[in-house]
Amino acid sequence: MTSSDTRLGPGTALRYRWIVTDLDGTLVDRDLAMVPRSRAALQAFRGAGGQVVIATGRSAASCRRYYDELGLTGPAILLNGALIANLHTGEVLHASRFDETTWTAVRSLVETLPPDVAAVAFVGERALATYQPAWVDTYAARDRVTVEHIESWHDIDGISKVMLLCADTDAAHRIAAVAHSAAPEVTVVMSEATYVELLPAGVDKGVALRWLAEHEQVALAEVAAVGDNPNDVPLLRASGFGVAVGDGHPEVLAAASAVAGTCLEGAVADVVAIATAPAAE
């Protein structure tokens, strides 16, 4: 799916009330900059009366630069659905955390990780780690996350997400399989080629979108969503119109209702063009 850019204004009729977009590899390129064509299209969509919702694996602190760049004032789906919050007001709308039994199983896993895998746990706005090799520092700098060193995983509670940061893709695929087996009650998703994320049971971007749409009284049929990685598949399936980024993961391409251009070509702008139509005369 590729579409020419459309000029939008107050007289534009919207086919979809919301556009829900992933960040990395979708709206944001590998240099961590928002693709200009996509940014302009989302701003025009908002100007026409539509609402933009970011749905990302990032934390609030890591997402904020893009949220502010778009001038958003509404809710965002964060931590792959474990947190829904309004970054403008600071209000937490919905939060999921590991219960004690589940965290015990996850802790047993992270305490026995091989040296090519490191764990970062998110507790509110804090990111915690007991082991911080070079690739964790790279992740922290890339996502603008401050990772605090802790001595032990004991006496930690309120954890919403654990990221397993891997030295390479082989380690990521291996540890994902181990995580599925060691903690079957946990949601395991791959958000990047070397990122494996552990979430409370029943948590993903799709579940978060359903919760938020109901909370905001927006029909899912009025929601268009776009993403590029396997963690976006539930998001696309929950929306009324799920679009894959053209250079996205094969699982996303297979799950989507349509395929846009690549991230750099302005995949999100393609979705905006489809999500709008000229006002009825």
Side-chain angles (χ1 to χ4, degrees), residues 98-170:
F98 291 115
D99 60 31
E100 184 177 353
T101 300
T102 306
W103 169 237
T104 298
V106 172
R107 188 181 67 210
S108 296
L109 172 66
V110 300
E111 288 178 334
T112 57
L113 290 173
D116 56 357
V117 182
V120 176
F122 288 84
V123 180
E125 280 297 295
R126 300 174 67 199
L128 312 174
T130 61
Y131 168 56
Q132 196 164 339
W135 61 89
V136 173
D137 293 333
T138 299
Y139 155 76
R142 174 187 182 275
D143 279 18
R144 297 186 179 184
V145 172
T146 299
V147 179
E148 300 177 39
H149 177 78
I150 58 174
E151 295 298 327
S152 169
W153 290 115
H154 287 269
D155 300 322
I156 302 295
D157 58 17
I159 295 173
S160 295
K161 183 179 86 164
V162 174
M163 287 192 68
L164 303 180
L165 301 169
C166 306
D168 53 45
T169 56
D170 288 342

Side-chain angles (χ1 to χ4, degrees), residues 32-268:
L32 305 182
M34 199 178 297
V35 175
R37 177 174 174 248
S38 291
R39 178 182 59 233
L42 288 178
Q43 290 170 336
F45 179 74
R46 293 186 65 233
Q51 183 168 338
V52 175
V53 177
I54 291 173
T56 180
R58 290 174 179 259
S59 66
S62 182
C63 172
R64 187 176 298 279
R65 60 182 288 202
Y66 304 110
Y67 181 95
D68 290 343
E69 187 174 345
L70 288 171
L72 303 183
T73 58
I77 295 170
L78 308 164
L79 299 179
N80 269 318
L83 177 65
I84 303 173
N86 185 312
L87 302 188
H88 181 67
T89 64
E91 180 185 8
V92 173
L93 301 176
H94 185 71
S96 299
R97 300 177 179 86
F98 291 115
D99 60 31
E100 184 177 353
T101 300
T102 306
W103 169 237
T104 298
V106 172
R107 188 181 67 210
S108 296
L109 172 66
V110 300
E111 288 178 334
T112 57
L113 290 173
D116 56 357
V117 182
V120 176
F122 288 84
V123 180
E125 280 297 295
R126 300 174 67 199
L128 312 174
T130 61
Y131 168 56
Q132 196 164 339
W135 61 89
V136 173
D137 293 333
T138 299
Y139 155 76
R142 174 187 182 275
D143 279 18
R144 297 186 179 184
V145 172
T146 299
V147 179
E148 300 177 39
H149 177 78
I150 58 174
E151 295 298 327
S152 169
W153 290 115
H154 287 269
D155 300 322
I156 302 295
D157 58 17
I159 295 173
S160 295
K161 183 179 86 164
V162 174
M163 287 192 68
L164 303 180
L165 301 169
C166 306
D168 53 45
T169 56
D170 288 342
H173 287 289
R174 185 179 71 248
I175 203 63
V178 171
H180 277 293
S181 176
E185 66 277 24
V186 171
T187 300
V188 180
V189 295
M190 292 192 69
S191 55
E192 295 282 350
T194 58
Y195 296 175
V196 178
E197 306 200 13
L198 309 182
L199 301 162
V203 171
D204 59 40
K205 289 185 182 182
V207 171
L209 174 59
R210 291 187 184 94
W211 187 95
L212 181 59
E214 181 177 359
H215 181 268
E216 300 288 315
Q217 297 184 331
V218 173
L220 289 168
E222 298 180 291
V223 177
V226 55
D228 72 311
N229 261 315
N231 62 316
D232 295 314
V233 169
L235 176 70
L236 270 56
R237 288 178 172 161
S239 68
F241 182 53
V243 182
V245 177
D247 52 352
H249 192 282
E251 289 182 25
V252 183
L253 299 177
S257 300
V259 178
T262 66
C263 173
L264 286 175
E265 290 170 340
V268 178

